[in-house]
């Protein structure tokens, strides 16, 4: 008798599609659109950095709330409504004529991004056994790379096809795709294995308390468990360094190549697509690494590679240097979010995984909110992106040091 595919794999695929839309289109596309928006709206880099900050403030505001809502009401409902909000506000971003309106739309898109991304990244903890959690979460985070890759192909084509208004049409088209994804996710996503009468993928013990129907609802005592856990606070601090450093690199990646180094938008888009293509599988790779050597050592190694990618981008100002940086970053881009999501699930369990991940995403979001404005300010005062990228590298190395001191769940019981 032929064995059926476990529905957990369909759920993980829905998580992948969600991250393609939420992160790949809603956030990463801004990297390629930034130079065109600068010309079309006559913004300076500080303003463009603030648009990124507005997006991340929205992300920060909703990430922790969305995680708790998903733990209480289920990822399916929260993700669907979040993607609908994103699609509408992305389309409206294309209508922007002032900084205030553009900032408001990016802020609202960020709200949807946080509410969609956090529950999606926690799906692996709900649907997969502990020893497969990093791998499953890596599949979901692969959507960031796939979305980045698609953005790097789609956006330059639209920019070329529609000229000066290309950035507006890019937001229209990407927003419409996100709305379509919201419908697909609503149709196929399910919250927990027991909704389908199943156990998590890779689990055989039916008596496991974490999968019993009694855990369907999260009690007020459980909520307190999340924010009182010291190990979770420390995990959040480790995550902060990623948010602060990587965002400087991705927000100003194309602007550096186009505005400072003199490359075309198409060339920058092609290199960004390379980053996206390489990063599709980086979550699976690094999630599996952390399954084997531990979350702390895995995160430290990932931070090392990320820091090197930022410094190479700043120092080696040639095509070879840019490609080397892109390869290093692409192979490691979403490693930290993958490891942090798995680590949060390890600490708080499947039911509270969205809430736990939402809590540490608060720290990550603070870093993301500071990064774009800081990077834009440093670029304006130094008339170069070299300093912002070097600082990003230094911050990443600090994250590496902190990662070595992450404790295993058994040490926090």
């Amino acid at each position: 008798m032929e064995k059926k595919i476990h529905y957990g794999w369909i759920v993980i695929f829905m998580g992948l599609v969600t991250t393609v839309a939420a992160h790949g289109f809603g956030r990463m596309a801004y990297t390629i659109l930034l130079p065109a928006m600068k010309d079309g709206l006559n913004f300076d880099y500080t303003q463009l950095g603030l648009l990124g900050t507005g997006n991340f403030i929205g992300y920060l505001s909703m990430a922790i709330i969305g995680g708790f809502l998903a733990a209480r009401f289920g990822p399916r409902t929260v993700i669907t409504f979040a993607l609908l909000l994103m699609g509408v506000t992305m389309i409206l971003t294309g209508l922007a004529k002032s900084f205030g309106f553009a900032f408001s739309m990016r802020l609202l898109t960020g709200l949807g991004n946080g509410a969609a991304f956090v529950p999606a990244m926690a799906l692996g903890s709900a649907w997969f056994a502990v020893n497969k959690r990093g791998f499953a979460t890596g599949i979901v985070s692969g959507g960031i790379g796939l979305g980045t890759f698609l953005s790097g192909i789609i956006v330059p084509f639209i920019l070329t096809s529609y000229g000066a208004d290309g950035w507006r049409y890019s937001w229209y088209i990407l927003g419409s795709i996100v709305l379509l994804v919201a419908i697909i996710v609503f149709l196929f996503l399910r919250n927990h294995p027991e909704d389908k009468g199943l156990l998590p993928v890779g689990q055989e013990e039916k008596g496991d308390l974490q999968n019993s129907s009694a855990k369907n609802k999260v009690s007020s005592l459980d909520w307190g468990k999340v924010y009182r856990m010291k190990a979770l606070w420390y995990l959040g601090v480790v995550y902060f360094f990623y948010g602060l450093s990587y965002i400087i690199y991705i927000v100003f990646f194309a602007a550096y190549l186009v505005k400072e180094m003199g490359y075309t938008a198409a060339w920058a888009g092609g290199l960004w697509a390379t980053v996206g293509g390489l990063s599709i599988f980086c979550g699976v790779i690094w999630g599996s690494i952390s399954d084997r050597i531990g979350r702390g050592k895995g995160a430290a190694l990932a931070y090392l590679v990320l820091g090197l990618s930022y410094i190479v981008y700043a120092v080696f100002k040639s095509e070879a240097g840019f490609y080397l940086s892109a390869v290093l970053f692409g192979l490691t881009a979403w490693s930290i979010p993958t490891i942090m999501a798995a680590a949060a699930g390890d600490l708080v369990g499947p039911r509270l995984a969205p809430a736990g991940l939402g809590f540490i995403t608060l720290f990550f979001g603070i870093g993301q909110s500071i990064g774009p404005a800081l990077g834009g300010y440093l670029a304006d005062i130094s008339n170069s992106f070299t300093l912002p990228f070097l600082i990003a590298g230094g911050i990443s190395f600090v994250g590496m040091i902190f990662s070595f001191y992450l404790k295993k769940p058994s040490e926090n019981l």
Side-chain angles (χ1 to χ4, degrees):
M1 184 176 179
E2 188 176 345
K3 190 176 181 180
K4 287 185 177 181
I5 296 176
H6 193 290
Y7 201 82
W9 294 107
I10 296 175
V11 169
I12 285 299
F13 180 72
M14 289 299 102
L16 172 80
V17 173
T18 296
T19 53
V20 167
H23 256 41
F25 293 165
R27 175 174 300 180
M28 299 305 169
Y30 181 61
T31 298
I32 304 301
L33 289 168
L34 188 149
M37 290 182 71
K38 183 181 192 304
D39 294 336
L41 295 170
N42 294 316
F43 290 169
D44 60 29
Y45 286 120
T46 299
Q47 288 176 305
L48 291 165
L50 285 170
L51 285 185
T53 295
N55 183 256
F56 304 134
I57 289 174
Y59 179 93
L60 168 62
S61 301
M62 205 60 205
I64 183 169
I65 300 173
F68 278 98
L69 289 176
R72 180 65 180 84
F73 299 106
R76 184 189 184 201
T77 298
V78 175
I79 291 174
T80 299
F81 279 103
L83 290 174
L84 289 174
L85 174 63
M86 284 193 69
V88 171
T89 54
M90 286 168 66
I91 291 171
L92 291 175
T93 300
L95 299 174
K97 293 183 179 179
S98 67
F99 175 78
F101 184 83
F103 183 88
S104 298
M105 291 305 102
R106 294 303 291 154
L107 177 70
L108 290 172
T109 299
L111 288 173
N113 189 1
F117 180 70
V118 169
M121 287 292 288
L123 290 172
S125 292
W127 281 85
F128 285 73
V130 174
N131 64 344
K132 295 181 180 294
R133 191 168 288 161
F135 176 78
T137 305
I139 293 175
V140 177
S141 70
I144 309 173
L146 180 57
T148 302
F149 173 75
L150 294 174
S151 294
I153 294 175
I154 295 170
V155 172
F157 176 77
I158 299 172
L159 291 174
T160 301
S161 300
Y162 291 95
D165 287 330
W167 67 270
R168 296 186 185 276
Y169 282 94
S170 294
W171 286 121
Y172 300 154
I173 294 170
L174 293 176
S176 298
I177 295 173
V178 171
L179 291 177
L180 178 61
V181 170
I183 296 172
I184 294 172
V185 167
F186 178 76
L187 292 175
F188 292 100
L189 184 61
R190 295 296 181 270
N191 294 326
H192 307 292
E194 55 264 33
D195 294 345
K196 300 288 289 184
L198 300 169
L199 291 170
V201 177
Q203 182 175 305
E204 297 179 358
E205 295 294 328
K206 294 185 177 181
D208 196 324
L209 289 175
Q210 71 183 21
N211 298 297
S212 71
S213 59
K215 300 289 280 186
N216 277 341
K217 291 190 177 181
V218 179
S219 70
S220 58
L221 182 63
D222 287 326
W223 298 118
K225 176 184 175 183
V226 171
Y227 63 77
R228 286 199 302 266
M229 187 177 288
K230 291 182 180 179
L232 210 58
W233 281 81
Y234 189 83
L235 194 64
V237 172
V238 173
Y239 207 5
F240 166 81
F241 296 113
Y242 175 77
L244 182 60
S245 57
Y246 99 105
I247 202 61
I248 294 174
Y249 182 80
I250 70 166
V251 166
F252 298 107
F253 181 91
Y256 172 54
L257 294 174
V258 175
K259 298 298 183 181
E260 183 172 337
M261 302 309 300
Y263 290 91
T264 64
W267 194 88
L271 188 59
W272 190 240
T274 300
V275 170
L278 288 170
S279 69
I280 291 173
F281 301 104
C282 79
V284 172
I285 294 170
W286 287 97
S288 298
I289 288 174
S290 75
D291 283 340
R292 295 194 176 198
I293 70 174
R295 311 301 183 203
K297 290 180 181 178
L301 183 59
Y303 265 126
L304 173 62
V305 179
L306 287 168
L308 290 174
S309 73
Y310 309 147
I311 292 173
V312 166
Y313 205 54
V315 175
F316 297 98
K317 301 176 183 291
S318 64
E319 288 191 12
F322 300 146
Y323 272 109
L324 176 59
S325 174
V327 169
L328 289 173
F329 181 76
L331 292 174
T332 324
W334 325 125
S335 54
I336 299 300
T338 300
I339 295 172
M340 293 299 102
D346 293 344
L347 288 171
V348 301
R351 285 290 168 191
L352 283 169
L357 179 55
F359 180 74
I360 66 170
T361 300
L362 171 66
F363 297 82
F364 166 68
I366 291 172
Q368 279 200 140
S369 299
I370 297 171
L374 174 64
Y377 173 74
L378 292 173
D380 281 335
I381 63 172
S382 65
N383 293 314
S384 172
F385 288 103
T386 300
L387 181 59
F389 293 140
L390 288 175
I391 288 177
I395 294 168
S396 190
F397 292 151
V398 174
M400 174 187 69
I401 294 171
F402 273 70
S403 295
F404 281 118
Y405 296 95
L406 282 176
K407 294 181 179 180
K408 296 179 181 180
S410 59
E411 295 176 292
N412 301 289
L413 294 178

